[in-house]
Amino acid sequence: MVLSGCQGPTEPSIDGTPPAVESPSAPGSTPSESAPATPQPSPASSAGPAVNIPVPVKPALADENSAEGLEAFTEYWFELFSYGYETNDWEPFDAVTDPGCRTCENLTGQVRDLYADKGWIVGGAVNLSSFDTEFIKNTEGSINSFVGVEQAGLTYFDSTGTEINKSEALPLTVNVTIALWEENQWIMLDFGSPEGT
């Protein structure tokens, strides 16, 4: 439909010039109003750190006390790990990780230190390739799972944008996660190589 076809005939003004026609606007809005622009995510690159990266959303299944729930939680936990590498926002990760996780502290501590000096990281995304658990509580009441993970290569930049270090991609590696169900949610207690390796 052509909008002008819905208007009635217009009368010329007294001086013979046609009257101005106002453009239609949405109900309840004024011509000066416009919808706020949504910030676009910008991944980290050699030009600068990541901005406006959305926080991973926890799936509902990840709050279920079952083997399937633990798997969903573990995948979500690694997504938060990747998100932290890219943004240095560790608050969501810390909320579901025990403060006593020494491996976690060592890995995230290096990242936090780099960002504290105005540097940043490109890459480092962790992918959960496999998950296996017998879903049996150990003597501490927690549950061990075997996870196959891969991590993309990392490039480290200092505050001037100079590349200062590089890490090759981590091939598929089997690790163990230890998680505890408490207060109706999973908490990751530790993550690392299986004993004896």
Side-chain angles (χ1 to χ4, degrees), residues 52-127:
N52 302 321
I53 303 299
V55 180
V57 177
K58 182 195 275 191
L61 183 59
D63 280 329
E64 182 179 294
N65 185 10
S66 66
E68 294 77 15
L70 178 55
E71 180 174 3
F73 166 76
T74 303
E75 185 170 6
Y76 168 68
W77 187 80
F78 280 114
E79 289 174 358
L80 293 178
F81 197 83
S82 300
Y83 171 78
Y85 261 92
E86 188 168 20
T87 65
N88 195 41
D89 176 9
W90 294 102
E91 187 174 345
F93 180 85
D94 290 342
V96 293
T97 305
D98 186 79
C101 178
R102 290 174 294 176
T103 304
C104 308
E105 185 178 353
N106 291 339
L107 294 172
T108 63
Q110 297 171 13
V111 179
R112 295 178 209 252
D113 290 345
L114 179 65
Y115 279 89
D117 291 334
K118 307 300 182 186
W120 69 90
I121 291 173
V122 174
V126 180
N127 178 53

Side-chain angles (χ1 to χ4, degrees), residues 7 12 18 23-24 35 49 62 87-89 94-95 104 109 115 124 142 150 160 162 166 175 183:
Q7 299 172 356
S23 59
T87 65
N88 195 41
D89 176 9
D94 290 342
C104 308
Y115 279 89
S142 53
E150 302 167 279
T160 68
T162 302
K166 205 166 207 172
N175 289 273
E183 297 181 1

Side-chain angles (χ1 to χ4, degrees), residues 8 31 38 56 61 95 120 123 137 143 163 168 173 175 196:
T38 302
L61 183 59
W120 69 90
K137 291 182 180 180
I143 295 178
E163 183 180 318
E168 296 299 321
T173 307
N175 289 273

